[in-house]
Amino acid sequence: MKRKMLICVLTMVWVFILSAGCQKKEEFPIYQMEENQEEWEFLFIDEIQYERDRGGHWEEQAYYFHDNDQYVWTPAQGIGKQIGICGESGKLAIYEIVGDENHTFLYTTPLTFYFGGIEGHLWKKEGVSIEPPITEIISHITIVSTEDDSVLFQVEEPEIIAIMLDTYNNANKQIEGPFSIKEGWSSNFLILHHKDYPFLHYKIEYRYHQEKNTAVLYRKDSNEWIALPEEWTNFLVEYGSVDVS
């Protein structure tokens, strides 16, 4: 009896596997993608033009993501459903961005495996501006733990945000590292939230040393550590976003 039940179960599993393997893969529309000599790429979807700066110029911030999505505008809640494919021989999958109901931005990733990691691209509609973070376009900043992504505190005061961004954008006070965790430096992230596009955020790593009472930001484009002003250092300690135990 047990043997018959086992045979039935195995048969059902095998039938399920066969039926799953015979299912037709979902077919997606293929969209045109072009590039020009100025290192810009263009994607055309239902007569709407999307574009991105393939050259990776920092003033535009619309290029491939890297380093755990730091130092570029990225989808705050991830990518949504796939809506098509593009590129040479259809090698790129096109996705919606969660929360972007108007499809102001899109996201593409390779469909085929290659060495070097996944290279995702952020595309914006023609005419849409996506500048580096400045005070006017930031709604708030959340301070997030690098260990478990938990939110430690939220900063909404425009004056405090302006101080941090002035330091970050102007590289007012550079400091030489390294700032090793083994040498007493703790590490967290500042997550900047876009005011007009709340589905996008911008992640910056900062490190803090309790004994030195010093906090520093990292700029990827110039590979520099920048000292945060005393106002921000005191602010981080006061609200418990750094380890002061």
Side-chain angles (χ1 to χ4, degrees), residues 186-221:
S186 60
S187 174
N188 288 316
F189 287 120
L190 300 176
I191 309 296
L192 284 58
H193 299 262
H194 203 291
K195 185 179 297 183
D196 298 325
Y197 308 118
F199 46 81
L200 295 180
H201 67 197
Y202 190 104
K203 181 187 294 184
I204 302 173
E205 182 184 3
Y206 79 88
R207 295 193 177 184
Y208 174 79
H209 199 288
Q210 179 184 348
E211 295 181 1
K212 298 179 180 180
N213 194 32
T214 301
V216 293
L217 296 174
Y218 181 60
R219 279 203 63 130
K220 174 69 178 180
D221 57 336

PDB file of all heavy atoms in Angstrom, residues 186-221:
ATOM      1  N   SER A 186      32.689  53.279  13.456  1.00  0.00           N
ATOM      2  CA  SER A 186      31.410  52.621  13.175  1.00  0.00           C
ATOM      3  C   SER A 186      30.897  53.141  11.840  1.00  0.00           C
ATOM      4  O   SER A 186      31.226  54.245  11.416  1.00  0.00           O
ATOM      5  CB  SER A 186      30.389  52.909  14.284  1.00  0.00           C
ATOM      6  OG  SER A 186      30.155  54.304  14.407  1.00  0.00           O
ATOM      7  N   SER A 187      30.080  52.329  11.167  1.00  0.00           N
ATOM      8  CA  SER A 187      29.626  52.683   9.822  1.00  0.00           C
ATOM      9  C   SER A 187      28.108  52.578   9.721  1.00  0.00           C
ATOM     10  O   SER A 187      27.501  51.606  10.175  1.00  0.00           O
ATOM     11  CB  SER A 187      30.270  51.754   8.796  1.00  0.00           C
ATOM     12  OG  SER A 187      29.755  51.978   7.506  1.00  0.00           O
ATOM     13  N   ASN A 188      27.486  53.607   9.124  1.00  0.00           N
ATOM     14  CA  ASN A 188      26.059  53.606   8.827  1.00  0.00           C
ATOM     15  C   ASN A 188      25.841  54.302   7.491  1.00  0.00           C
ATOM     16  O   ASN A 188      26.792  54.774   6.864  1.00  0.00           O
ATOM     17  CB  ASN A 188      25.261  54.308   9.933  1.00  0.00           C
ATOM     18  CG  ASN A 188      25.184  53.487  11.210  1.00  0.00           C
ATOM     19  OD1 ASN A 188      24.959  52.287  11.173  1.00  0.00           O
ATOM     20  ND2 ASN A 188      25.394  54.134  12.344  1.00  0.00           N
ATOM     21  N   PHE A 189      24.576  54.358   7.064  1.00  0.00           N
ATOM     22  CA  PHE A 189      24.239  55.027   5.808  1.00  0.00           C
ATOM     23  C   PHE A 189      23.319  56.218   6.060  1.00  0.00           C
ATOM     24  O   PHE A 189      22.451  56.191   6.943  1.00  0.00           O
ATOM     25  CB  PHE A 189      23.517  54.076   4.848  1.00  0.00           C
ATOM     26  CG  PHE A 189      24.408  53.033   4.238  1.00  0.00           C
ATOM     27  CD1 PHE A 189      24.147  51.689   4.436  1.00  0.00           C
ATOM     28  CD2 PHE A 189      25.496  53.395   3.460  1.00  0.00           C
ATOM     29  CE1 PHE A 189      24.962  50.719   3.868  1.00  0.00           C
ATOM     30  CE2 PHE A 189      26.320  52.431   2.887  1.00  0.00           C
ATOM     31  CZ  PHE A 189      26.054  51.097   3.092  1.00  0.00           C
ATOM     32  N   LEU A 190      23.503  57.262   5.255  1.00  0.00           N
ATOM     33  CA  LEU A 190      22.542  58.348   5.149  1.00  0.00           C
ATOM     34  C   LEU A 190      21.750  58.103   3.864  1.00  0.00           C
ATOM     35  O   LEU A 190      22.328  58.032   2.787  1.00  0.00           O
ATOM     36  CB  LEU A 190      23.246  59.706   5.078  1.00  0.00           C
ATOM     37  CG  LEU A 190      24.126  60.093   6.267  1.00  0.00           C
ATOM     38  CD1 LEU A 190      24.821  61.418   5.999  1.00  0.00           C
ATOM     39  CD2 LEU A 190      23.306  60.185   7.545  1.00  0.00           C
ATOM     40  N   ILE A 191      20.422  57.961   3.981  1.00  0.00           N
ATOM     41  CA  ILE A 191      19.578  57.731   2.814  1.00  0.00           C
ATOM     42  C   ILE A 191      18.814  59.017   2.521  1.00  0.00           C
ATOM     43  O   ILE A 191      17.964  59.439   3.302  1.00  0.00           O
ATOM     44  CB  ILE A 191      18.585  56.580   3.043  1.00  0.00           C
ATOM     45  CG1 ILE A 191      19.312  55.329   3.554  1.00  0.00           C
ATOM     46  CG2 ILE A 191      17.817  56.297   1.768  1.00  0.00           C
ATOM     47  CD1 ILE A 191      20.287  54.742   2.571  1.00  0.00           C
ATOM     48  N   LEU A 192      19.116  59.639   1.387  1.00  0.00           N
ATOM     49  CA  LEU A 192      18.476  60.882   0.988  1.00  0.00           C
ATOM     50  C   LEU A 192      17.260  60.560   0.119  1.00  0.00           C
ATOM     51  O   LEU A 192      17.377  59.835  -0.875  1.00  0.00           O
ATOM     52  CB  LEU A 192      19.450  61.765   0.206  1.00  0.00           C
ATOM     53  CG  LEU A 192      20.528  62.509   0.987  1.00  0.00           C
ATOM     54  CD1 LEU A 192      21.429  61.574   1.788  1.00  0.00           C
ATOM     55  CD2 LEU A 192      21.384  63.351   0.048  1.00  0.00           C
ATOM     56  N   HIS A 193      16.096  61.109   0.486  1.00  0.00           N
ATOM     57  CA  HIS A 193      14.846  60.820  -0.221  1.00  0.00           C
ATOM     58  C   HIS A 193      14.464  61.996  -1.115  1.00  0.00           C
ATOM     59  O   HIS A 193      14.427  63.143  -0.657  1.00  0.00           O
ATOM     60  CB  HIS A 193      13.730  60.524   0.780  1.00  0.00           C
ATOM     61  CG  HIS A 193      14.018  59.339   1.652  1.00  0.00           C
ATOM     62  ND1 HIS A 193      13.515  58.087   1.397  1.00  0.00           N
ATOM     63  CD2 HIS A 193      14.784  59.219   2.771  1.00  0.00           C
ATOM     64  CE1 HIS A 193      13.945  57.238   2.323  1.00  0.00           C
ATOM     65  NE2 HIS A 193      14.712  57.899   3.161  1.00  0.00           N
ATOM     66  N   HIS A 194      14.176  61.704  -2.381  1.00  0.00           N
ATOM     67  CA  HIS A 194      13.853  62.741  -3.356  1.00  0.00           C
ATOM     68  C   HIS A 194      12.451  63.286  -3.099  1.00  0.00           C
ATOM     69  O   HIS A 194      11.500  62.534  -2.938  1.00  0.00           O
ATOM     70  CB  HIS A 194      13.960  62.180  -4.776  1.00  0.00           C
ATOM     71  CG  HIS A 194      14.180  63.217  -5.823  1.00  0.00           C
ATOM     72  ND1 HIS A 194      13.223  64.142  -6.182  1.00  0.00           N
ATOM     73  CD2 HIS A 194      15.268  63.489  -6.601  1.00  0.00           C
ATOM     74  CE1 HIS A 194      13.693  64.926  -7.131  1.00  0.00           C
ATOM     75  NE2 HIS A 194      14.941  64.553  -7.400  1.00  0.00           N
ATOM     76  N   LYS A 195      12.336  64.603  -3.093  1.00  0.00           N
ATOM     77  CA  LYS A 195      11.056  65.245  -2.798  1.00  0.00           C
ATOM     78  C   LYS A 195      10.047  65.049  -3.927  1.00  0.00           C
ATOM     79  O   LYS A 195       8.873  64.764  -3.684  1.00  0.00           O
ATOM     80  CB  LYS A 195      11.274  66.743  -2.554  1.00  0.00           C
ATOM     81  CG  LYS A 195      10.028  67.506  -2.122  1.00  0.00           C
ATOM     82  CD  LYS A 195      10.349  68.976  -1.878  1.00  0.00           C
ATOM     83  CE  LYS A 195      11.348  69.137  -0.747  1.00  0.00           C
ATOM     84  NZ  LYS A 195      11.616  70.573  -0.446  1.00  0.00           N
ATOM     85  N   ASP A 196      10.480  65.198  -5.171  1.00  0.00           N
ATOM     86  CA  ASP A 196       9.578  65.085  -6.321  1.00  0.00           C
ATOM     87  C   ASP A 196       9.377  63.641  -6.772  1.00  0.00           C
ATOM     88  O   ASP A 196       8.349  63.305  -7.357  1.00  0.00           O
ATOM     89  CB  ASP A 196      10.111  65.911  -7.489  1.00  0.00           C
ATOM     90  CG  ASP A 196      10.185  67.395  -7.158  1.00  0.00           C
ATOM     91  OD1 ASP A 196       9.306  67.878  -6.420  1.00  0.00           O
ATOM     92  OD2 ASP A 196      11.136  68.055  -7.617  1.00  0.00           O
ATOM     93  N   TYR A 197      10.373  62.794  -6.539  1.00  0.00           N
ATOM     94  CA  TYR A 197      10.305  61.386  -6.933  1.00  0.00           C
ATOM     95  C   TYR A 197      10.576  60.531  -5.696  1.00  0.00           C
ATOM     96  O   TYR A 197      11.678  60.009  -5.513  1.00  0.00           O
ATOM     97  CB  TYR A 197      11.329  61.086  -8.025  1.00  0.00           C
ATOM     98  CG  TYR A 197      11.259  62.031  -9.204  1.00  0.00           C
ATOM     99  CD1 TYR A 197      12.353  62.839  -9.538  1.00  0.00           C
ATOM    100  CD2 TYR A 197      10.106  62.133  -9.970  1.00  0.00           C
ATOM    101  CE1 TYR A 197      12.291  63.709 -10.615  1.00  0.00           C
ATOM    102  CE2 TYR A 197      10.032  63.000 -11.047  1.00  0.00           C
ATOM    103  CZ  TYR A 197      11.132  63.790 -11.359  1.00  0.00           C
ATOM    104  OH  TYR A 197      11.067  64.655 -12.427  1.00  0.00           O
ATOM    105  N   PRO A 198       9.576  60.389  -4.816  1.00  0.00           N
ATOM    106  CA  PRO A 198       9.785  59.665  -3.554  1.00  0.00           C
ATOM    107  C   PRO A 198      10.168  58.198  -3.736  1.00  0.00           C
ATOM    108  O   PRO A 198      10.601  57.555  -2.778  1.00  0.00           O
ATOM    109  CB  PRO A 198       8.427  59.799  -2.852  1.00  0.00           C
ATOM    110  CG  PRO A 198       7.448  60.115  -3.933  1.00  0.00           C
ATOM    111  CD  PRO A 198       8.196  60.890  -4.957  1.00  0.00           C
ATOM    112  N   PHE A 199      10.018  57.679  -4.945  1.00  0.00           N
ATOM    113  CA  PHE A 199      10.415  56.288  -5.211  1.00  0.00           C
ATOM    114  C   PHE A 199      11.906  56.173  -5.514  1.00  0.00           C
ATOM    115  O   PHE A 199      12.398  55.080  -5.789  1.00  0.00           O
ATOM    116  CB  PHE A 199       9.599  55.723  -6.378  1.00  0.00           C
ATOM    117  CG  PHE A 199       9.497  56.650  -7.557  1.00  0.00           C
ATOM    118  CD1 PHE A 199      10.522  56.736  -8.478  1.00  0.00           C
ATOM    119  CD2 PHE A 199       8.378  57.456  -7.726  1.00  0.00           C
ATOM    120  CE1 PHE A 199      10.448  57.598  -9.561  1.00  0.00           C
ATOM    121  CE2 PHE A 199       8.291  58.318  -8.799  1.00  0.00           C
ATOM    122  CZ  PHE A 199       9.321  58.395  -9.719  1.00  0.00           C
ATOM    123  N   LEU A 200      12.643  57.293  -5.465  1.00  0.00           N
ATOM    124  CA  LEU A 200      14.087  57.271  -5.649  1.00  0.00           C
ATOM    125  C   LEU A 200      14.796  57.712  -4.374  1.00  0.00           C
ATOM    126  O   LEU A 200      14.310  58.593  -3.658  1.00  0.00           O
ATOM    127  CB  LEU A 200      14.510  58.210  -6.792  1.00  0.00           C
ATOM    128  CG  LEU A 200      14.038  57.869  -8.199  1.00  0.00           C
ATOM    129  CD1 LEU A 200      14.555  58.916  -9.184  1.00  0.00           C
ATOM    130  CD2 LEU A 200      14.490  56.473  -8.618  1.00  0.00           C
ATOM    131  N   HIS A 201      15.925  57.105  -4.084  1.00  0.00           N
ATOM    132  CA  HIS A 201      16.743  57.570  -2.970  1.00  0.00           C
ATOM    133  C   HIS A 201      18.224  57.504  -3.334  1.00  0.00           C
ATOM    134  O   HIS A 201      18.608  56.946  -4.351  1.00  0.00           O
ATOM    135  CB  HIS A 201      16.420  56.814  -1.673  1.00  0.00           C
ATOM    136  CG  HIS A 201      16.799  55.373  -1.678  1.00  0.00           C
ATOM    137  ND1 HIS A 201      16.292  54.460  -0.775  1.00  0.00           N
ATOM    138  CD2 HIS A 201      17.613  54.645  -2.485  1.00  0.00           C
ATOM    139  CE1 HIS A 201      16.807  53.266  -1.015  1.00  0.00           C
ATOM    140  NE2 HIS A 201      17.612  53.355  -2.033  1.00  0.00           N
ATOM    141  N   TYR A 202      19.027  58.101  -2.451  1.00  0.00           N
ATOM    142  CA  TYR A 202      20.460  58.265  -2.710  1.00  0.00           C
ATOM    143  C   TYR A 202      21.190  57.883  -1.436  1.00  0.00           C
ATOM    144  O   TYR A 202      20.950  58.455  -0.380  1.00  0.00           O
ATOM    145  CB  TYR A 202      20.711  59.731  -3.068  1.00  0.00           C
ATOM    146  CG  TYR A 202      22.068  60.090  -3.589  1.00  0.00           C
ATOM    147  CD1 TYR A 202      22.269  60.327  -4.941  1.00  0.00           C
ATOM    148  CD2 TYR A 202      23.160  60.263  -2.746  1.00  0.00           C
ATOM    149  CE1 TYR A 202      23.508  60.716  -5.441  1.00  0.00           C
ATOM    150  CE2 TYR A 202      24.401  60.645  -3.233  1.00  0.00           C
ATOM    151  CZ  TYR A 202      24.569  60.877  -4.581  1.00  0.00           C
ATOM    152  OH  TYR A 202      25.798  61.265  -5.065  1.00  0.00           O
ATOM    153  N   LYS A 203      22.066  56.898  -1.511  1.00  0.00           N
ATOM    154  CA  LYS A 203      22.701  56.335  -0.319  1.00  0.00           C
ATOM    155  C   LYS A 203      24.154  56.798  -0.203  1.00  0.00           C
ATOM    156  O   LYS A 203      24.921  56.694  -1.160  1.00  0.00           O
ATOM    157  CB  LYS A 203      22.642  54.809  -0.376  1.00  0.00           C
ATOM    158  CG  LYS A 203      23.246  54.117   0.834  1.00  0.00           C
ATOM    159  CD  LYS A 203      23.306  52.603   0.632  1.00  0.00           C
ATOM    160  CE  LYS A 203      21.936  51.978   0.566  1.00  0.00           C
ATOM    161  NZ  LYS A 203      22.020  50.494   0.458  1.00  0.00           N
ATOM    162  N   ILE A 204      24.511  57.305   0.986  1.00  0.00           N
ATOM    163  CA  ILE A 204      25.878  57.753   1.251  1.00  0.00           C
ATOM    164  C   ILE A 204      26.369  57.087   2.533  1.00  0.00           C
ATOM    165  O   ILE A 204      25.682  57.106   3.562  1.00  0.00           O
ATOM    166  CB  ILE A 204      25.941  59.287   1.442  1.00  0.00           C
ATOM    167  CG1 ILE A 204      25.388  60.010   0.205  1.00  0.00           C
ATOM    168  CG2 ILE A 204      27.371  59.736   1.726  1.00  0.00           C
ATOM    169  CD1 ILE A 204      25.254  61.502   0.395  1.00  0.00           C
ATOM    170  N   GLU A 205      27.549  56.524   2.490  1.00  0.00           N
ATOM    171  CA  GLU A 205      28.129  55.925   3.696  1.00  0.00           C
ATOM    172  C   GLU A 205      28.796  57.002   4.549  1.00  0.00           C
ATOM    173  O   GLU A 205      29.420  57.919   4.023  1.00  0.00           O
ATOM    174  CB  GLU A 205      29.157  54.868   3.342  1.00  0.00           C
ATOM    175  CG  GLU A 205      29.759  54.176   4.566  1.00  0.00           C
ATOM    176  CD  GLU A 205      30.854  53.178   4.212  1.00  0.00           C
ATOM    177  OE1 GLU A 205      31.185  53.062   3.012  1.00  0.00           O
ATOM    178  OE2 GLU A 205      31.379  52.536   5.148  1.00  0.00           O
ATOM    179  N   TYR A 206      28.618  56.900   5.866  1.00  0.00           N
ATOM    180  CA  TYR A 206      29.396  57.752   6.761  1.00  0.00           C
ATOM    181  C   TYR A 206      29.975  56.888   7.876  1.00  0.00           C
ATOM    182  O   TYR A 206      29.447  55.826   8.204  1.00  0.00           O
ATOM    183  CB  TYR A 206      28.561  58.903   7.329  1.00  0.00           C
ATOM    184  CG  TYR A 206      27.646  58.537   8.478  1.00  0.00           C
ATOM    185  CD1 TYR A 206      28.090  58.565   9.806  1.00  0.00           C
ATOM    186  CD2 TYR A 206      26.329  58.155   8.246  1.00  0.00           C
ATOM    187  CE1 TYR A 206      27.256  58.230  10.852  1.00  0.00           C
ATOM    188  CE2 TYR A 206      25.488  57.815   9.289  1.00  0.00           C
ATOM    189  CZ  TYR A 206      25.957  57.851  10.591  1.00  0.00           C
ATOM    190  OH  TYR A 206      25.124  57.512  11.620  1.00  0.00           O
ATOM    191  N   ARG A 207      31.050  57.357   8.460  1.00  0.00           N
ATOM    192  CA  ARG A 207      31.684  56.644   9.572  1.00  0.00           C
ATOM    193  C   ARG A 207      31.929  57.604  10.728  1.00  0.00           C
ATOM    194  O   ARG A 207      32.140  58.801  10.522  1.00  0.00           O
ATOM    195  CB  ARG A 207      32.984  55.983   9.109  1.00  0.00           C
ATOM    196  CG  ARG A 207      32.713  54.895   8.078  1.00  0.00           C
ATOM    197  CD  ARG A 207      33.881  53.994   7.813  1.00  0.00           C
ATOM    198  NE  ARG A 207      33.507  52.940   6.864  1.00  0.00           N
ATOM    199  CZ  ARG A 207      34.303  51.964   6.493  1.00  0.00           C
ATOM    200  NH1 ARG A 207      35.542  51.875   6.979  1.00  0.00           N
ATOM    201  NH2 ARG A 207      33.889  51.051   5.630  1.00  0.00           N
ATOM    202  N   TYR A 208      31.898  57.045  11.920  1.00  0.00           N
ATOM    203  CA  TYR A 208      32.008  57.866  13.130  1.00  0.00           C
ATOM    204  C   TYR A 208      32.983  57.212  14.105  1.00  0.00           C
ATOM    205  O   TYR A 208      32.988  55.995  14.260  1.00  0.00           O
ATOM    206  CB  TYR A 208      30.635  58.023  13.795  1.00  0.00           C
ATOM    207  CG  TYR A 208      30.692  58.727  15.125  1.00  0.00           C
ATOM    208  CD1 TYR A 208      30.798  60.111  15.197  1.00  0.00           C
ATOM    209  CD2 TYR A 208      30.643  58.005  16.314  1.00  0.00           C
ATOM    210  CE1 TYR A 208      30.860  60.752  16.439  1.00  0.00           C
ATOM    211  CE2 TYR A 208      30.704  58.641  17.544  1.00  0.00           C
ATOM    212  CZ  TYR A 208      30.824  60.017  17.591  1.00  0.00           C
ATOM    213  OH  TYR A 208      30.887  60.651  18.809  1.00  0.00           O
ATOM    214  N   HIS A 209      33.799  58.051  14.753  1.00  0.00           N
ATOM    215  CA  HIS A 209      34.731  57.572  15.766  1.00  0.00           C
ATOM    216  C   HIS A 209      34.395  58.259  17.082  1.00  0.00           C
ATOM    217  O   HIS A 209      34.459  59.479  17.203  1.00  0.00           O
ATOM    218  CB  HIS A 209      36.172  57.882  15.366  1.00  0.00           C
ATOM    219  CG  HIS A 209      37.186  57.054  16.094  1.00  0.00           C
ATOM    220  ND1 HIS A 209      37.469  57.244  17.434  1.00  0.00           N
ATOM    221  CD2 HIS A 209      37.986  56.018  15.672  1.00  0.00           C
ATOM    222  CE1 HIS A 209      38.385  56.375  17.810  1.00  0.00           C
ATOM    223  NE2 HIS A 209      38.714  55.620  16.759  1.00  0.00           N
ATOM    224  N   GLN A 210      34.030  57.441  18.083  1.00  0.00           N
ATOM    225  CA  GLN A 210      33.570  58.003  19.352  1.00  0.00           C
ATOM    226  C   GLN A 210      34.665  58.786  20.062  1.00  0.00           C
ATOM    227  O   GLN A 210      34.446  59.928  20.496  1.00  0.00           O
ATOM    228  CB  GLN A 210      33.059  56.882  20.259  1.00  0.00           C
ATOM    229  CG  GLN A 210      32.582  57.388  21.623  1.00  0.00           C
ATOM    230  CD  GLN A 210      32.168  56.246  22.523  1.00  0.00           C
ATOM    231  OE1 GLN A 210      32.033  55.121  22.071  1.00  0.00           O
ATOM    232  NE2 GLN A 210      31.963  56.535  23.790  1.00  0.00           N
ATOM    233  N   GLU A 211      35.831  58.206  20.204  1.00  0.00           N
ATOM    234  CA  GLU A 211      36.901  58.867  20.950  1.00  0.00           C
ATOM    235  C   GLU A 211      37.349  60.163  20.275  1.00  0.00           C
ATOM    236  O   GLU A 211      37.643  61.158  20.948  1.00  0.00           O
ATOM    237  CB  GLU A 211      38.093  57.915  21.116  1.00  0.00           C
ATOM    238  CG  GLU A 211      37.785  56.694  21.978  1.00  0.00           C
ATOM    239  CD  GLU A 211      38.997  55.794  22.125  1.00  0.00           C
ATOM    240  OE1 GLU A 211      40.070  56.137  21.560  1.00  0.00           O
ATOM    241  OE2 GLU A 211      38.870  54.746  22.785  1.00  0.00           O
ATOM    242  N   LYS A 212      37.375  60.158  18.970  1.00  0.00           N
ATOM    243  CA  LYS A 212      37.774  61.359  18.231  1.00  0.00           C
ATOM    244  C   LYS A 212      36.608  62.319  18.022  1.00  0.00           C
ATOM    245  O   LYS A 212      36.815  63.455  17.583  1.00  0.00           O
ATOM    246  CB  LYS A 212      38.364  60.962  16.883  1.00  0.00           C
ATOM    247  CG  LYS A 212      39.616  60.107  16.994  1.00  0.00           C
ATOM    248  CD  LYS A 212      40.145  59.721  15.613  1.00  0.00           C
ATOM    249  CE  LYS A 212      41.391  58.858  15.726  1.00  0.00           C
ATOM    250  NZ  LYS A 212      41.921  58.462  14.399  1.00  0.00           N
ATOM    251  N   ASN A 213      35.384  61.830  18.297  1.00  0.00           N
ATOM    252  CA  ASN A 213      34.163  62.615  18.081  1.00  0.00           C
ATOM    253  C   ASN A 213      34.161  63.208  16.664  1.00  0.00           C
ATOM    254  O   ASN A 213      33.916  64.391  16.449  1.00  0.00           O
ATOM    255  CB  ASN A 213      34.038  63.738  19.111  1.00  0.00           C
ATOM    256  CG  ASN A 213      32.630  64.333  19.105  1.00  0.00           C
ATOM    257  OD1 ASN A 213      31.651  63.638  18.836  1.00  0.00           O
ATOM    258  ND2 ASN A 213      32.537  65.624  19.394  1.00  0.00           N
ATOM    259  N   THR A 214      34.429  62.334  15.691  1.00  0.00           N
ATOM    260  CA  THR A 214      34.553  62.757  14.303  1.00  0.00           C
ATOM    261  C   THR A 214      33.684  61.876  13.411  1.00  0.00           C
ATOM    262  O   THR A 214      33.665  60.653  13.567  1.00  0.00           O
ATOM    263  CB  THR A 214      36.018  62.650  13.830  1.00  0.00           C
ATOM    264  OG1 THR A 214      36.835  63.479  14.659  1.00  0.00           O
ATOM    265  CG2 THR A 214      36.158  63.097  12.375  1.00  0.00           C
ATOM    266  N   ALA A 215      32.966  62.515  12.497  1.00  0.00           N
ATOM    267  CA  ALA A 215      32.170  61.793  11.510  1.00  0.00           C
ATOM    268  C   ALA A 215      32.618  62.217  10.118  1.00  0.00           C
ATOM    269  O   ALA A 215      32.906  63.397   9.873  1.00  0.00           O
ATOM    270  CB  ALA A 215      30.689  62.081  11.697  1.00  0.00           C
ATOM    271  N   VAL A 216      32.692  61.241   9.196  1.00  0.00           N
ATOM    272  CA  VAL A 216      33.133  61.522   7.829  1.00  0.00           C
ATOM    273  C   VAL A 216      32.179  60.892   6.820  1.00  0.00           C
ATOM    274  O   VAL A 216      31.594  59.840   7.064  1.00  0.00           O
ATOM    275  CB  VAL A 216      34.569  60.996   7.587  1.00  0.00           C
ATOM    276  CG1 VAL A 216      35.577  61.775   8.409  1.00  0.00           C
ATOM    277  CG2 VAL A 216      34.670  59.505   7.881  1.00  0.00           C
ATOM    278  N   LEU A 217      32.019  61.568   5.673  1.00  0.00           N
ATOM    279  CA  LEU A 217      31.235  61.073   4.548  1.00  0.00           C
ATOM    280  C   LEU A 217      32.186  60.600   3.449  1.00  0.00           C
ATOM    281  O   LEU A 217      33.295  61.107   3.326  1.00  0.00           O
ATOM    282  CB  LEU A 217      30.348  62.181   3.977  1.00  0.00           C
ATOM    283  CG  LEU A 217      29.260  62.767   4.858  1.00  0.00           C
ATOM    284  CD1 LEU A 217      28.618  63.952   4.136  1.00  0.00           C
ATOM    285  CD2 LEU A 217      28.219  61.726   5.186  1.00  0.00           C
ATOM    286  N   TYR A 218      31.698  59.663   2.634  1.00  0.00           N
ATOM    287  CA  TYR A 218      32.517  59.179   1.525  1.00  0.00           C
ATOM    288  C   TYR A 218      31.934  59.648   0.202  1.00  0.00           C
ATOM    289  O   TYR A 218      30.733  59.515  -0.043  1.00  0.00           O
ATOM    290  CB  TYR A 218      32.605  57.660   1.525  1.00  0.00           C
ATOM    291  CG  TYR A 218      33.466  57.109   0.419  1.00  0.00           C
ATOM    292  CD1 TYR A 218      34.810  57.457   0.325  1.00  0.00           C
ATOM    293  CD2 TYR A 218      32.941  56.255  -0.551  1.00  0.00           C
ATOM    294  CE1 TYR A 218      35.618  56.962  -0.694  1.00  0.00           C
ATOM    295  CE2 TYR A 218      33.735  55.754  -1.563  1.00  0.00           C
ATOM    296  CZ  TYR A 218      35.067  56.116  -1.632  1.00  0.00           C
ATOM    297  OH  TYR A 218      35.855  55.627  -2.641  1.00  0.00           O
ATOM    298  N   ARG A 219      32.783  60.231  -0.656  1.00  0.00           N
ATOM    299  CA  ARG A 219      32.383  60.611  -2.008  1.00  0.00           C
ATOM    300  C   ARG A 219      33.008  59.639  -2.993  1.00  0.00           C
ATOM    301  O   ARG A 219      34.233  59.561  -3.120  1.00  0.00           O
ATOM    302  CB  ARG A 219      32.838  62.028  -2.334  1.00  0.00           C
ATOM    303  CG  ARG A 219      31.910  63.093  -1.780  1.00  0.00           C
ATOM    304  CD  ARG A 219      32.060  64.373  -2.575  1.00  0.00           C
ATOM    305  NE  ARG A 219      31.658  64.176  -3.964  1.00  0.00           N
ATOM    306  CZ  ARG A 219      30.805  64.978  -4.618  1.00  0.00           C
ATOM    307  NH1 ARG A 219      30.277  66.008  -3.996  1.00  0.00           N
ATOM    308  NH2 ARG A 219      30.507  64.752  -5.873  1.00  0.00           N
ATOM    309  N   LYS A 220      32.140  58.901  -3.695  1.00  0.00           N
ATOM    310  CA  LYS A 220      32.613  57.886  -4.633  1.00  0.00           C
ATOM    311  C   LYS A 220      33.310  58.499  -5.839  1.00  0.00           C
ATOM    312  O   LYS A 220      34.325  57.982  -6.325  1.00  0.00           O
ATOM    313  CB  LYS A 220      31.425  57.029  -5.097  1.00  0.00           C
ATOM    314  CG  LYS A 220      31.754  56.020  -6.176  1.00  0.00           C
ATOM    315  CD  LYS A 220      32.638  54.907  -5.663  1.00  0.00           C
ATOM    316  CE  LYS A 220      32.907  53.886  -6.741  1.00  0.00           C
ATOM    317  NZ  LYS A 220      33.759  52.778  -6.285  1.00  0.00           N
ATOM    318  N   ASP A 221      32.777  59.620  -6.346  1.00  0.00           N
ATOM    319  CA  ASP A 221      33.311  60.172  -7.588  1.00  0.00           C
ATOM    320  C   ASP A 221      34.751  60.636  -7.459  1.00  0.00           C
ATOM    321  O   ASP A 221      35.552  60.498  -8.377  1.00  0.00           O
ATOM    322  CB  ASP A 221      32.428  61.319  -8.091  1.00  0.00           C
ATOM    323  CG  ASP A 221      32.275  62.431  -7.067  1.00  0.00           C
ATOM    324  OD1 ASP A 221      32.444  62.156  -5.872  1.00  0.00           O
ATOM    325  OD2 ASP A 221      31.993  63.564  -7.471  1.00  0.00           O
TER     326      ASP A 221
END
